Amino acid sequence: MDTKNSTNQRQLTVRISRGTEDGSYSTYSVPWRENQTVLDVVTEVQRTQEPNLSYRYACRVGVCGSCAMTVNGKPRWTCRTHVSRVEENGVIVIEPMRNMPRIKDLVVDMSEFFQKWARAGNTFVGTATRNDPPALVSPQSKKRKQADAAIECINCGVCYAACDVVSWDKDYLGPAALNRAWTLFNDERHADPKDVLRKATSGSGCNSCHTQGSCMKHCPVSLSPTGSIAGLKRSAIFSLLKGG
């Protein structure tokens, strides 16, 4: 007997937040398959039961980060999250990422997230032209190592969704923007690291961080925005003491 098509096949209960604003929940039942990811489940619901369900995804292999959602209360990349790791008594609850306005269903508006990224002074400005030889940056230099430790962020927004400070301070730049500021501050090719530090520390910048570590805990690529923010704070103090 084909167990895949058997009526006795184990079923997974999926509760998905629908609509706009606070929305409501719709419940679906899908076959529970081996090595099934949460993104697989959402895709199956959309293709077989709810064709107007809205969600984002692109690469499906943990590169783009666009499939980030809240699964059983925690922000995750759904393409890397296997059902077996998160189901609770055969149930998973899927919601949009927090701290960002919802457009529809599981899709959020990330405009504010990227605007804050820009406000943190995160545009690279070089000091050389295309006619100059490539900059020689030693991979063993302290600044290069500090930049390397934080440079793999792809702006998926998971850390921003996990951040409690963002939830109560909408002006806070957030961990992703400040993590990027730290990499740029340590980039020896950047024209104005002092400007990066000024923007990252002004207003609701790095000094608003409460060092709770939620960003570090939930980062899908194991970066430490908490460490980057601490580096910005230290650098700001040193700059002040030096009169810079």
Side-chain angles (χ1 to χ4, degrees):
M1 183 175 65
D2 186 352
T3 57
K4 182 176 181 180
N5 296 318
S6 171
T7 56
N8 295 323
Q9 182 179 9
R10 191 178 183 188
Q11 296 290 300
L12 179 72
T13 299
V14 187
R15 297 185 66 229
I16 299 179
S17 181
R18 301 294 312 281
T20 59
E21 300 300 328
D22 291 336
S24 58
Y25 290 86
S26 296
T27 302
Y28 309 92
S29 181
V30 300
W32 192 330
R33 299 186 174 92
E34 188 177 358
N35 295 324
Q36 188 177 33
T37 67
V38 173
L39 183 57
D40 291 335
V41 168
V42 175
T43 300
E44 180 154 358
V45 169
Q46 191 270 337
R47 290 179 178 176
T48 64
Q49 301 181 50
E50 197 70 72
N52 63 347
L53 174 64
S54 296
Y55 65 107
R56 286 192 179 116
Y57 75 95
C59 73
R60 302 184 69 93
V61 291
V63 174
C64 72
S66 62
C67 69
M69 304 171 199
T70 302
V71 182
N72 284 7
K74 297 180 181 179
R76 303 173 180 273
W77 285 357
T78 54
C79 71
R80 279 191 176 184
T81 302
H82 286 266
V83 168
S84 59
R85 287 173 45 207
V86 295
E87 58 85 18
E88 297 177 1
N89 298 317
V91 178
I92 57 173
V93 180
I94 307 172
E95 302 164 293
M97 285 200 294
R98 296 168 183 168
N99 294 335
M100 289 174 263
R102 170 153 50 175
I103 297 174
K104 181 177 180 287
D105 298 338
L106 302 172
V107 179
V108 296
D109 184 349
M110 298 185 69
S111 299
E112 182 180 89
F113 171 84
F114 288 112
Q115 287 165 3
K116 289 179 178 180
W117 195 89
R119 274 173 46 202
N122 287 334
T123 301
F124 175 79
V125 180
T127 56
T129 71
R130 66 178 60 196
N131 297 318
D132 295 319
L136 298 177
V137 180
S138 171
Q140 300 305 316
S141 72
K142 181 179 178 180
K143 281 186 170 290
R144 186 68 252 168
K145 288 182 177 180
Q146 289 175 330
D148 283 347
I151 206 168
E152 293 183 7
C153 173
I154 60 172
N155 288 323
C156 66
V158 165
C159 64
Y160 191 87
C163 180
D164 291 328
V165 179
V166 172
S167 67
W168 69 67
D169 181 0
K170 290 302 180 183
D171 290 328
Y172 178 48
L173 293 177
L178 294 170
N179 182 77
R180 163 63 178 172
W182 178 239
T183 67
L184 199 56
F185 177 74
N186 285 290
D187 192 329
E188 299 171 51
R189 304 163 302 161
H190 184 55
D192 198 353
K194 289 184 178 181
D195 183 63
V196 175
L197 189 61
R198 179 182 62 81
K199 290 178 178 177
T201 55
S202 62
S204 292
C206 64
N207 293 314
S208 294
C209 174
H210 288 205
T211 321
Q212 292 173 307
S214 295
C215 54
M216 177 175 59
K217 177 181 178 181
H218 294 287
C219 177
V221 291
S222 301
L223 300 183
S224 177
T226 304
S228 297
I229 293 168
L232 289 169
K233 291 178 179 179
R234 288 194 304 270
S235 298
I237 292 173
F238 293 151
S239 177
L240 182 65
L241 292 175
K242 291 178 180 178

